[in-house]
Amino acid sequence: MKQRDPQFLQANRAARSSLAEALLAMRTPEEMRALLKDLTTPAELEALVDRWRVVRYLDQGKPYREIHDLTGVSVTTIGRVARYLESGNGGYRMALERLNTQDNRSQ
């Protein structure tokens, strides 16, 4: 079991910050894919990809059952992703908006 003492928590916060910086240091989608493949197991990466697919479909207004049929992701997970999309930390929404802005610029 992981320690939960103040020193551990401080080190964990620093490691999260360092991880965020490492992710931001990637300059191309290929570099990001390489880092994600090194950082995660195949199952973890598949779970991240599934969640992102769900976010895109939710943003399009597709119903949960249709998203499940398209992705194979459980309705429970779809609901969890929807909750975070609507009232999480804003990361999903920010990523969607930035990608939409990029798409609009390239057209």
Side-chain angles (χ1 to χ4, degrees), residues 3 6 10 13 19 23-24 27 29 32 40-41 53 59 74 77 79 81 83 92 97 105 107:
Q3 298 175 349
Q10 183 177 5
R13 278 191 295 274
L19 174 59
L23 293 168
L24 283 170
R27 293 192 175 128
M32 182 60 78
T40 62
T41 65
R53 288 181 68 203
D59 190 52
S74 74
T77 297
V81 171
R83 218 172 24 257
Y92 284 145
E97 288 172 2
R105 275 192 241 148
Q107 291 178 358

Side-chain angles (χ1 to χ4, degrees), residues 33 36-37 40-50:
R33 278 192 289 275
L36 288 172
K37 282 182 169 182
T40 62
T41 65
E44 290 167 338
L45 185 54
E46 183 179 358
L48 293 173
V49 169
D50 285 347

Side-chain angles (χ1 to χ4, degrees), residues 3-41:
Q3 298 175 349
R4 297 292 177 206
D5 62 59
Q7 189 175 19
F8 171 81
L9 294 173
Q10 183 177 5
N12 197 21
R13 278 191 295 274
R16 283 182 191 210
S17 181
S18 178
L19 174 59
E21 290 173 16
L23 293 168
L24 283 170
M26 299 299 98
R27 293 192 175 128
T28 65
E30 293 78 22
E31 290 177 359
M32 182 60 78
R33 278 192 289 275
L35 178 58
L36 288 172
K37 282 182 169 182
D38 288 347
L39 191 61
T40 62
T41 65

